[in-house]
Amino acid sequence: MAVKVNKAEKKLSYHSKICKLLDMYSQILIVGADNVGSKQLQEIRAGLRGDSVILMGKNTMMKRSIRVHAENTGNSAILALVPHLVNNVGLIFTRGDLKEVSDEVSKYKVGAPARVGLVAPVDVVVPPGNTGLDPSQTSFFQVLNIPTKINKGTVEIITPVELIKKGNKVESSQSALLSKLGIKPFSYGLVVENVYDNGSVFSSEVLDLTEDDLVVRFGAGLTNVISLSMALSYLTLAAVPHIVINAYKNILSFALASDDYSFPLADKIKEYLKDPSKFAVAAAPAPVAAASESSAAPAKEEKKEEPEESEDEGGLGGLFD
């Protein structure tokens, strides 16, 4: 009976804690916590202490508490968290900058060995070089089709070897090899999966966007708005410059095709069309002027040098006379 009471008290305490945090914070990071140990989690808590609080727990308890709190307070926006509470996840309540908090969390990753049966989160490549193992281990490398040679009494891997592909399970021979080589290919820590901010939930990838990325995406969106506006003949502020330019092109085309209607800018283009050589005349003076200036410069220099030569000759003549 006492055990049941303790469980009930723990659940009530947990519910009170999560409700309090939901009232205090409007920003939450939803983080994956696979293969994260208690010691590592303590270090992360210490690193985030001040503006952020980490809350772990069973998904069912978190979902229930969120639903009850939303019903009691009328804050239905927090229900957006519920669909994302799947697998092994936790919540980081924060008042700090979301990007900075996410970067701080990513610092606390630790290396881990490739245990048998574990699904590889990344590709594992064994680099070439001396392994430090004695020649009796050569057969072990041959089983895994790893090219080696004996160099100074030790086994040396000749070329890089892709040992494990991402998504594949680690086999016993692969695990044993990495263990012999002292390689810990995997790293684990809290991974930010989604972000809750004032009722909206979005992917953590948004935090990595730079100002240049935002400008590019804004430009792409603006282009779509303009295209749709022009196709539907629906006036929008973004499309106004393009509509004006198209209207000007139409008027100009009409003026060029008609002798009865014209305006100053159209007259200028008509003039160019009647005598295309004016294009060349307009472009010619610049290089010609530049060429004349460049040819004039050495001529002046030559004129300056002439009196110096005459003075030298005169001076020499007077000396020998």
Side-chain angles (χ1 to χ4, degrees), residues 136-193:
S136 64
Q137 304 289 332
T138 304
S139 58
F140 188 78
F141 290 92
Q142 291 175 348
V143 172
L144 295 169
N145 295 321
I146 298 176
T148 60
K149 67 178 181 179
I150 306 301
N151 185 15
K152 297 181 181 180
T154 57
V155 179
E156 182 177 330
I157 298 175
I158 300 174
T159 58
V161 178
E162 187 176 340
L163 189 64
I164 309 172
K165 289 187 176 181
K166 180 180 178 181
N168 291 348
K169 288 186 177 181
V170 179
E171 299 176 0
S172 57
S173 57
Q174 297 168 338
S175 176
L177 174 63
L178 293 171
S179 179
K180 285 178 180 292
L181 298 177
I183 297 175
K184 293 183 177 180
F186 306 143
S187 60
Y188 297 108
L190 294 181
V191 179
V192 179
E193 296 179 351

Side-chain angles (χ1 to χ4, degrees), residues 28-30 98 192-197 200-204 207:
I28 305 171
L29 299 179
I30 304 170
L98 292 171
V192 179
E193 296 179 351
N194 293 287
V195 180
Y196 171 89
D197 188 4
S200 301
V201 178
F202 51 87
S203 172
S204 61
L207 299 178

